[in-house]
Amino acid sequence: MGTKPGTPAIDAATWLRENGLRATHGRTAIVRVLDTSTVPLTLADIHEKVSAEGCDFATVFRFVSILEEKELVQRVAWIDGSTRHEIRSRDGHHHHHYLICRTCHKVEPIDECVVERFEDQIAKERGYTGLNHSLQLSGVCPDCQKPAKKKR
Amino acid sequence: MGTKPGTPAIDAATWLRENGLRATHGRTAIVRVLDTSTVPLTLADIHEKVSAEGCDFATVFRFVSILEEKELVQRVAWIDGSTRHEIRSRDGHHHHHYLICRTCHKVEPIDECVVERFEDQIAKERGYTGLNHSLQLSGVCPDCQKPAKKKR
DNA sequence: CTTGATGCAAAGGGTTTGCAGCATT
DNA sequence: AATGCTGCAAACCCTTTGCATCAAG
């Protein structure tokens, strides 16, 4: 929704109706959480942030599934084995490239994409269509390289 | 173990002892399965292939965990959300790059790695150490593009 | 023989579903 | 007012652990 990650939703309810979905209290909260996050979230992450508004975990589960069926949200297999979810922005740009610290678990988005050209090459070579990719880098961030320091 | 994927183990029991592990019946079976697979396997996949030899699921679970602690096996977060496991070959070459068909779920390994150079660049730019990456491409394979045809 | 690995079975944790009541359209 | 969403709670399934027995070294 928001043009840049981190930008709050202009209007979650309107966005929902535009996409043929009922704009309930819980749903707008879920959309707002997804829309303002710069990193993919687990269902538990989302629930934690909407439970204050009385939104149940089952609602998060079901509604995120609906958004994924409609391809408004992208499912991401996180490098630690968890499943995360990321809203697709309006401009159709939905890259999920991240740099993850193995020590403090901080997540930094990576803007550049070196894989796209490679994707085209593979598509030609092997005849695949509709290619999509998921790339995650993990390492130890500068802060965690300094001994005896913990974050998060 | 085997130099090429798909090559059967020369001697799983010896390999185990070389790595300071007891060479039991179940363990050699598990190693053989991991070693001859060209794609990462789930615990259920492995168990399915060793259960004929009377090897329990708990044994698969525990032994694969041990191999991962010893960094002889690599854990892979698969794009569908499952967790898979892949043996690291003797030459230390352990890339986990795959091309996965979204329709028939066929998995093809990709040899090339375009990410390595990028990894170095990111390491310099952001000061991370010990970088590692995970890349999966998904698309629709040539077979599945032909209508009304199902595999697997 | 000693130590550690195994099988069995139960516990745990996250995911998914059924159902009756409630909110949105 | 009708439809479809929600909360609650139970069911499910995959993962993990405890314990007594068994086998490798």
Coordinates of all heavy atoms in Angstrom, one line a residue, chain B residues 22 24 27 54 56 59 62, chain C residues 3-9:
Chain B
R22 N 29.4 -42.8 16.1 CA 29.2 -44.3 16.1 C 28.5 -44.7 14.8 O 27.5 -44.1 14.4 CB 28.3 -44.7 17.3 CG 29.1 -44.8 18.6 CD 28.3 -45.6 19.5 NE 29.0 -45.7 20.8 CZ 28.6 -46.4 21.8 NH1 27.4 -47.1 21.7 NH2 29.2 -46.4 22.9
T24 N 26.2 -46.9 13.6 CA 25.1 -47.8 13.8 C 24.4 -48.1 12.5 O 24.6 -47.4 11.6 CB 24.1 -47.3 14.9 OG1 23.5 -46.2 14.3 CG2 24.8 -47.0 16.2
R27 N 22.2 -45.1 11.6 CA 23.0 -43.9 11.1 C 23.6 -44.1 9.8 O 23.6 -43.1 9.0 CB 24.1 -43.6 12.2 CG 23.5 -43.1 13.4 CD 24.6 -43.0 14.5 NE 24.0 -42.2 15.6 CZ 24.8 -41.5 16.4 NH1 26.1 -41.4 16.3 NH2 24.2 -40.8 17.4
G54 N 14.0 -50.4 9.8 CA 13.7 -50.3 11.2 C 14.2 -49.1 11.9 O 14.4 -49.2 13.1
D56 N 13.8 -45.6 13.5 CA 12.7 -44.8 14.0 C 12.8 -43.3 13.6 O 13.9 -42.8 13.4 CB 12.7 -44.9 15.5 CG 11.5 -44.3 16.2 OD1 10.4 -45.0 16.0 OD2 11.5 -43.3 16.8
T59 N 15.1 -41.3 15.8 CA 16.5 -41.4 15.5 C 16.9 -40.5 14.4 O 17.9 -39.9 14.4 CB 16.8 -42.9 15.1 OG1 16.4 -43.7 16.2 CG2 18.2 -43.1 14.7
R62 N 17.0 -37.0 15.9 CA 18.2 -36.7 16.7 C 19.5 -36.8 16.0 O 20.4 -36.0 16.2 CB 18.2 -37.7 17.9 CG 17.2 -37.4 19.0 CD 17.2 -38.3 20.1 NE 16.6 -39.6 19.8 CZ 15.8 -40.3 20.7 NH1 15.5 -39.8 21.9 NH2 15.4 -41.4 20.3
Chain C
dT3 P 31.1 -45.6 31.7 OP1 32.1 -44.6 32.2 OP2 29.9 -45.9 32.5 O5' 30.7 -45.1 30.3 C5' 31.6 -45.1 29.2 C4' 30.8 -44.8 27.9 O4' 30.0 -46.0 27.5 C3' 29.8 -43.7 28.0 O3' 30.1 -42.8 27.0 C2' 28.4 -44.3 28.0 C1' 28.7 -45.6 27.2 N1 27.8 -46.7 27.6 C2 27.4 -47.6 26.6 O2 27.8 -47.5 25.4 N3 26.6 -48.7 27.0 C4 26.2 -48.9 28.3 O4 25.4 -49.8 28.6 C5 26.6 -47.9 29.3 C7 26.1 -48.0 30.7 C6 27.3 -46.9 28.9
dG4 P 29.4 -41.4 26.8 OP1 30.4 -40.3 26.5 OP2 28.4 -41.2 28.0 O5' 28.5 -41.6 25.5 C5' 29.1 -42.4 24.4 C4' 28.0 -43.0 23.6 O4' 27.3 -44.0 24.3 C3' 26.9 -42.0 23.2 O3' 26.6 -42.3 21.9 C2' 25.8 -42.3 24.2 C1' 25.9 -43.8 24.2 N9 25.3 -44.5 25.3 C8 25.3 -44.2 26.6 N7 24.6 -45.1 27.4 C5 24.2 -46.0 26.5 C6 23.4 -47.2 26.6 O6 22.9 -47.7 27.7 N1 23.2 -47.9 25.4 C2 23.7 -47.5 24.2 N2 23.4 -48.2 23.2 N3 24.4 -46.4 24.0 C4 24.6 -45.7 25.2
dA5 P 25.7 -41.4 21.0 OP1 26.5 -41.0 19.9 OP2 25.0 -40.4 21.8 O5' 24.7 -42.5 20.4 C5' 25.2 -43.6 19.7 C4' 24.1 -44.5 19.3 O4' 23.5 -45.1 20.5 C3' 22.9 -43.8 18.6 O3' 22.4 -44.6 17.6 C2' 21.9 -43.6 19.8 C1' 22.1 -44.8 20.6 N9 21.9 -44.6 22.1 C8 22.4 -43.6 22.8 N7 22.0 -43.7 24.1 C5 21.3 -44.9 24.1 C6 20.6 -45.5 25.2 N6 20.6 -45.1 26.5 N1 19.9 -46.7 24.9 C2 19.9 -47.1 23.6 N3 20.5 -46.6 22.6 C4 21.2 -45.5 22.9
dT6 P 21.1 -44.2 16.8 OP1 21.3 -44.8 15.4 OP2 20.8 -42.8 17.0 O5' 20.0 -45.1 17.5 C5' 20.1 -46.5 17.4 C4' 18.8 -47.1 18.0 O4' 18.8 -46.8 19.4 C3' 17.5 -46.6 17.5 O3' 16.8 -47.7 16.9 C2' 16.8 -46.0 18.7 C1' 17.5 -46.6 19.9 N1 17.7 -45.6 21.0 C2 17.1 -46.0 22.2 O2 16.6 -47.0 22.4 N3 17.3 -45.1 23.2 C4 18.0 -43.8 23.1 O4 18.1 -43.1 24.1 C5 18.5 -43.5 21.8 C7 19.2 -42.2 21.6 C6 18.3 -44.4 20.8
dG7 P 15.5 -47.4 16.0 OP1 15.6 -48.3 14.9 OP2 15.4 -45.9 15.7 O5' 14.4 -47.8 17.0 C5' 14.4 -49.0 17.6 C4' 13.2 -49.2 18.6 O4' 13.5 -48.3 19.8 C3' 11.9 -48.7 18.1 O3' 10.9 -49.7 18.5 C2' 11.7 -47.3 18.7 C1' 12.4 -47.4 20.0 N9 13.1 -46.2 20.5 C8 13.7 -45.3 19.7 N7 14.2 -44.3 20.4 C5 13.8 -44.6 21.7 C6 14.1 -43.8 22.9 O6 14.7 -42.8 23.1 N1 13.5 -44.5 24.0 C2 12.8 -45.7 24.0 N2 12.4 -46.1 25.2 N3 12.6 -46.4 22.9 C4 13.1 -45.8 21.8
dC8 P 9.4 -49.6 18.0 OP1 9.0 -51.0 17.8 OP2 9.3 -48.7 16.8 O5' 8.6 -49.0 19.2 C5' 8.8 -49.5 20.5 C4' 8.2 -48.6 21.5 O4' 9.1 -47.5 21.8 C3' 6.9 -48.0 21.1 O3' 5.9 -48.3 22.1 C2' 7.1 -46.5 21.0 C1' 8.3 -46.3 22.0 N1 9.2 -45.2 21.7 C2 9.7 -44.4 22.8 O2 9.4 -44.7 23.9 N3 10.5 -43.4 22.5 C4 10.8 -43.0 21.2 N4 11.6 -42.0 21.0 C5 10.3 -43.8 20.1 C6 9.5 -44.8 20.4
dA9 P 4.4 -48.0 21.9 OP1 3.6 -49.1 22.5 OP2 4.2 -47.5 20.5 O5' 4.2 -46.7 22.9 C5' 4.9 -46.7 24.1 C4' 4.8 -45.3 24.7 O4' 5.8 -44.4 24.1 C3' 3.5 -44.6 24.3 O3' 3.0 -43.8 25.4 C2' 3.8 -43.7 23.1 C1' 5.2 -43.3 23.6 N9 6.0 -42.7 22.5 C8 6.0 -43.0 21.2 N7 6.9 -42.3 20.5 C5 7.5 -41.5 21.4 C6 8.5 -40.6 21.3 N6 9.1 -40.3 20.1 N1 8.9 -40.0 22.4 C2 8.3 -40.3 23.6 N3 7.4 -41.2 23.8 C4 7.0 -41.8 22.7

